[in-house]
Amino acid sequence: MTARTLTCQVTAVEDLTPDVFRVRLEGRPEAMAHDPGQYLELALDDETWVPFSIANAHGGDGTIELHIQHWPERENSDRLRDLVVVARHLTLRMPGGDCVLDSTSQRPLLLIAAGTGFAQMKAIIEASLHEAPERPIDLWWAARERRDLYLESLAREWAENHENVRFHVVTEVAPETPVAGERIQGHRGRIDQALAEGLGDISGHDVYLSGSPGMVYACVDVLASLRLNASRVFSDVFAYAPRQPLVPTTGVLRREGGR
């Protein structure tokens, strides 16, 4: 899709945690069209555009959902929060990004996200469940603490209501209440370590990753040891922070207590 600049209406702003808020936008359905996994850029001023993953699959109703991390110590974050709360309309540039769901593939999905990287995975899951309801999905969502998993209830709902969906909670701090549920599993530690300990051969999967470059490449290095298919791994990081090679020929398997 060709990127376009448009104005949309802010219809709702909701705090999901003290640090993450959800914004709902509305515009002309044809103007808001996007592929699952794409992002938009929001204008803070004439020269400042801030990218955000679109957190919902295109439903034809002209609505868009964003999940925004608020960093009080960062100037742009405060400006953005104030703008979204006060403004009735926002200027967007969209859609962007090639890390989109391949609807022609029937390979199982391995989705790996940290923090608000969940937004991109949410759009992909919604689209996959609609287009191919039986396609296997494994969602790994990492955060420092369990309370940072701002829509854990939604991920749980997917796993509990769909036999083909499994949800993995990954936290660096041990949760007060153990993670349990139908097709739900808890892991403690860094996400790359959790993947090394919890996964086997993934050569048959389509893999999508969303997070910081450091997180994404640490996970890719682990997945390479698990027979990751370099042509079937996708991340926006590959476009804005590329390395050579993106996927190493020989990976590094990080087990607990080692590197």
Side-chain angles (χ1 to χ4, degrees):
M1 294 183 184
T2 302
R4 51 198 175 267
T5 301
L6 60 133
T7 300
C8 64
Q9 181 181 3
V10 179
T11 59
V13 179
E14 173 192 4
D15 287 319
L16 298 176
T17 72
D19 304 314
V20 177
F21 59 100
R22 173 163 52 193
V23 179
R24 297 190 189 276
L25 308 172
E26 187 172 314
R28 292 184 295 108
E30 61 272 21
M32 305 292 264
H34 61 278
D35 292 326
Q38 290 192 297
Y39 63 85
L40 58 74
E41 295 175 286
L42 190 154
L44 285 184
D45 54 46
D46 290 342
E47 298 181 353
T48 308
W49 296 80
V50 185
F52 295 102
S53 291
I54 300 171
N56 62 297
H58 177 56
D61 58 359
T63 63
I64 274 183
E65 177 181 333
L66 304 178
H67 302 164
I68 299 178
Q69 179 91 38
H70 181 221
W71 302 95
E73 69 277 11
R74 298 182 184 176
E75 179 185 356
N76 277 355
S77 185
D78 270 341
R79 288 176 61 198
L80 177 63
R81 174 77 184 191
D82 293 341
L83 175 65
V84 168
V85 170
V86 173
R88 293 185 178 181
H89 295 87
L90 296 173
T91 300
L92 309 177
R93 189 161 57 202
M94 64 171 287
D98 298 319
C99 179
V100 300
L101 176 66
D102 181 359
S103 298
T104 67
S105 172
Q106 294 302 309
R107 295 158 65 95
L109 289 169
L110 174 57
L111 310 179
I112 303 166
T116 51
F118 171 78
Q120 185 176 42
M121 301 309 163
K122 176 178 177 292
I124 289 173
I125 290 172
E126 288 178 352
S128 183
L129 289 176
H130 176 72
E131 297 171 4
E134 305 303 319
R135 188 176 184 181
I137 300 172
D138 274 85
L139 170 65
W140 293 68
W141 188 8
R144 184 177 183 279
E145 299 183 60
R146 189 173 181 182
R147 65 182 181 181
D148 297 325
L149 303 177
Y150 54 87
L151 281 178
E152 181 185 340
S153 59
L154 175 61
R156 283 182 161 273
E157 183 179 315
W158 289 329
E160 291 166 354
N161 293 339
H162 300 274
E163 293 185 359
N164 56 307
V165 178
R166 290 180 291 184
F167 174 37
H168 297 263
V169 174
V170 185
T171 59
E172 295 183 22
V173 177
E176 294 182 4
T177 304
V179 175
E182 190 72 18
R183 292 176 290 278
I184 300 169
Q185 186 175 354
H187 308 264
R188 184 182 175 189
R190 294 200 318 266
I191 179 63
D192 55 326
Q193 294 173 332
L195 295 172
E197 295 162 9
L199 290 176
D201 186 336
I202 61 162
S203 59
H205 288 68
D206 284 353
V207 181
Y208 293 79
L209 303 105
S210 185
S212 69
M215 169 266 181
V216 166
Y217 287 124
C219 291
V220 167
D221 289 346
V222 165
L223 297 175
S225 295
L226 302 175
R227 300 187 64 197
L228 174 66
N229 185 330
S231 67
R232 303 307 304 173
V233 58
F234 310 94
S235 177
D236 286 325
V237 166
F238 299 161
Y240 74 81
R243 71 172 189 184
Q244 292 297 330
L246 292 175
V247 178
T249 303
T250 303
V252 178
L253 194 61
R254 299 178 176 89
R255 299 295 188 184
E256 186 176 0
R259 291 181 180 272

